[in-house]
């Protein structure tokens, strides 16, 4: 059996080449844990499995955080090059999204394990998550506009990553408020959630519009980034889920703080808005599947971008589950279950390939470092 990281020149290259796109694994794993508890069969077993998966995800996120922090401490000059790189900088947005899956797990699994302290932990993590999401939503696009070189024909859906983190935090706000008293504090959290939704969804739709133009003018993305087509589901699915979760809690909170006339409006807005968004998402899902099948004929090389198959599709499924529950349409639940099985298969394949690539060291590759070395030659 070969030693770990045998494809790297030295073991410290694990740190030197560690990049934020590794956090996509925590996003995908986290959303799978949330979907497992939605399935209508083997509930006790699946809840236990989901809890273990969430705890495994905490370990993953912690290890990745330490590795990335070490890179900034030990190779700070190289780490700073990420802000100049037109692709890797966009993956900074996946860090707060990965963290969001952890805090959501504290609300779904942690309360049973740790009691009410889990809610306090989730609330503290939410504030950290919002800070990171907002900072990245401003800083990364500013770097795109001021110091990076972008062209329309090289654009992919990864442009969405820096801005989508805010709407993920908005969805988490809806989950968090469900475990808090219906008071002014919860009211403020809901308002913040809607603002975060707007900060994220509207720019995301602008990006999707440009992406449609790019594909019409320059055809499909190359096979190396073919999986990125699934990322378009992210802001759509999360946007729908955010409206549903926030609207459901608005119905409870707004009445208690003196806005009863708005309570049903926001709840209805969540249902209607999510229906429209999920319809749009279904169209993008079809395109993503066709794009993947088109490139699968010649083989799609594995890279960490394959995790794009999991989280965007996962939040789309969660929105289907939630909508089906709120309007009591069983058919939506059946569709969500079928999609969930497909997602579990994809997650298993991607996780297996990721573990193999991590063991060999093949997946530890920093394009920012390569670009820096080329400039220095």
């Amino acid at each position: 059996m070969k030693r770990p990281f045998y494809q790297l020149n030295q073991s410290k290259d694990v740190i030197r080449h560690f990049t934020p796109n590794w956090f996509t694994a925590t996003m995908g794993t986290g959303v799978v844990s949330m979907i497992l508890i939605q399935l209508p069969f083997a509930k006790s077993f699946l809840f236990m499995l989901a809890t273990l998966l969430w705890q495994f995800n905490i370990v993953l996120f912690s290890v990745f955080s330490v590795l990335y922090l070490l890179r900034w401490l030990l190779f700070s000059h190289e780490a700073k090059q990420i802000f100049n790189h037109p692709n890797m900088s966009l993956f900074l947005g996946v860090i707060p999204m990965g963290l969001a899956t952890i805090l959501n797990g504290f609300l779904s699994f942690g309360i049973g394990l740790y009691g009410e302290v889990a809610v306090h932990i989730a609330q503290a993590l939410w504030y950290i998550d919002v800070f990171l999401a907002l900072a990245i939503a401003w800083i990364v696009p500013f770097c795109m506009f001021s110091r990076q070189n972008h062209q329309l024909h090289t654009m992919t859906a990864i442009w969405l990553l820096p801005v989508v983190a805010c709407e993920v935090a908005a969805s988490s706000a809806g989950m968090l408020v469900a475990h808090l008293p219906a008071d002014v504090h919860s009211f403020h959290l809901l308002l913040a959630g809607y603002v975060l939704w707007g900060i994220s969804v509207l720019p995301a739709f602008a990006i999707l519009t440009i992406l449609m133009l790019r594909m019409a003018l320059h055809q499909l993305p190359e096979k190396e980034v073919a999986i990125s087509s699934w990322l378009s589901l992210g802001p759509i699915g999360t946007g729908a889920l955010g409206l549903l979760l926030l609207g459901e809690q608005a119905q409870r909170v707004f009445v208690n703080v003196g806005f009863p006339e708005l309570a049903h409006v926001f709840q209805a807005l969540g249902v209607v808005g999510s229906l429209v968004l999920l319809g749009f998402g279904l169209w993008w899902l079809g395109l993503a599947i066709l794009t993947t099948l088109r490139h699968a004929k010649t083989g799609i090389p594995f890279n960490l971008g394959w995790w794009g198959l999991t989280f965007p599709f996962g939040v789309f499924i969660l929105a289907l589950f939630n909508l089906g529950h709120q309007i009591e349409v069983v058919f939506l639940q059946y569709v969500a279950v079928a999609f969930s099985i497909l997602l579990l298969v994809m997650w298993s394949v991607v996780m297996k390939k990721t573990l193999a690539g991590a063991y060999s060291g093949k997946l530890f590759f920093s394009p920012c470092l390569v670009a820096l070395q080329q400039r220095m030659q």
Side-chain angles (χ1 to χ4, degrees):
M1 186 175 181
K2 295 182 179 179
R3 64 176 178 82
F5 314 129
Y6 61 86
Q7 291 197 18
L8 297 177
N9 293 328
Q10 45 192 344
S11 296
K12 70 177 182 180
D13 284 345
V14 171
I15 297 173
R16 193 179 185 190
H17 283 270
F18 191 84
T19 48
N21 54 345
W22 278 94
F23 285 90
T24 55
T26 68
M27 294 169 58
T29 303
V31 80
V32 166
S33 70
M34 300 301 296
I35 284 174
L36 285 175
I37 60 175
Q38 302 294 327
L39 297 176
F41 48 83
K43 283 187 171 293
S44 297
F45 170 74
L46 289 178
F47 188 87
M48 180 184 67
L49 181 62
T51 302
L52 292 174
L53 201 58
W54 169 65
Q55 292 172 329
F56 170 67
N57 201 36
I58 293 176
V59 174
L60 272 185
F61 190 89
S62 301
V63 171
F64 293 167
S65 298
V66 170
L67 287 173
Y68 197 45
L69 179 61
L70 285 174
R71 188 185 184 200
W72 276 91
L73 292 174
L74 301 177
F75 307 100
S76 58
H77 177 66
E78 296 172 359
K80 287 188 292 186
Q81 300 306 311
I82 193 171
F83 295 108
N84 298 320
H85 199 274
N87 291 324
M88 193 50 62
S89 60
L90 305 175
F91 283 96
L92 287 169
V94 307
I95 298 176
M97 286 191 276
L99 179 60
T101 66
I102 304 296
L103 77 89
N104 293 344
F106 271 103
L107 298 171
S108 298
F109 313 111
I111 295 175
L113 294 173
Y114 313 118
E116 284 301 310
V117 68
V119 177
H120 299 300
I121 294 173
Q123 188 167 355
L125 290 176
W126 184 79
Y127 283 110
I128 296 172
D129 190 65
V130 169
F131 173 79
L132 290 174
L134 285 172
I136 290 167
W138 280 316
I139 293 173
V140 173
F142 180 76
C143 290
M144 293 175 68
F145 305 155
S146 62
R147 61 168 66 184
Q148 297 173 6
N149 181 27
H150 292 271
Q151 296 178 339
L152 184 62
H153 73 275
T154 61
M155 177 197 185
T156 66
I158 65 172
W159 278 30
L160 294 164
L161 295 177
V163 298
V164 173
C166 285
E167 63 183 279
V168 175
S171 298
S172 296
M175 290 187 64
L176 178 60
V177 170
H179 297 275
L180 297 175
D183 54 15
V184 174
H185 176 60
S186 293
F187 176 65
H188 291 161
L189 286 177
L190 284 178
L191 294 182
Y194 280 108
V195 171
L196 288 167
W197 191 93
I199 288 174
S200 179
V201 173
L202 300 183
F205 270 64
I207 293 170
L208 287 174
T209 303
I210 300 171
L211 182 61
M212 292 174 66
L213 175 65
R214 172 253 179 271
M215 290 194 294
L217 296 180
H218 302 288
Q219 299 190 331
L220 298 175
E222 300 296 326
K223 64 179 181 179
E224 289 79 9
V225 290
I227 301 299
S228 67
S229 57
W230 290 75
L231 296 178
S232 302
L233 277 176
I236 300 170
T238 312
L241 182 62
L243 285 179
L244 288 165
L245 292 172
L246 292 170
E248 188 175 26
Q249 295 310 311
Q251 192 174 23
R252 177 177 68 97
V253 174
F254 281 27
V255 172
N256 280 16
V257 296
F259 296 99
E261 66 280 0
L262 292 179
H264 294 293
V265 172
F266 276 80
Q267 194 272 337
L269 176 65
V271 172
V272 176
S274 65
L275 272 171
V276 174
L277 287 173
L278 290 174
F280 186 36
L282 195 61
W283 182 78
W284 272 107
L285 176 61
L287 281 181
I289 293 172
L290 290 172
T291 300
T292 305
L293 292 176
R294 169 74 177 273
H295 286 297
K297 294 178 181 179
T298 56
I300 302 175
F302 179 75
N303 53 54
L304 289 174
W306 278 43
W307 282 102
L309 291 167
T310 57
F311 185 81
F313 192 30
V315 291
F316 183 80
I317 294 169
L318 287 175
L320 281 175
F321 271 122
N322 195 288
L323 179 61
H325 171 73
Q326 287 200 32
I327 63 176
E328 299 181 353
V329 175
V330 178
F331 173 73
L332 290 176
Q333 303 280 343
Y334 291 155
V335 173
V337 169
F339 282 167
S340 298
I341 295 171
L342 175 60
L343 175 64
L344 290 173
V345 172
M346 293 193 298
W347 177 85
S348 300
V349 171
V350 177
M351 178 58 78
K352 180 181 178 181
K353 288 180 175 291
T354 301
L355 292 174
Y359 185 86
S360 68
K362 179 182 179 180
L363 293 179
F364 292 99
F365 172 75
S366 172
C368 317
L369 177 57
V370 173
L372 175 64
Q373 291 171 339
Q374 289 174 346
R375 289 198 302 269
M376 294 176 64
Q377 288 178 353

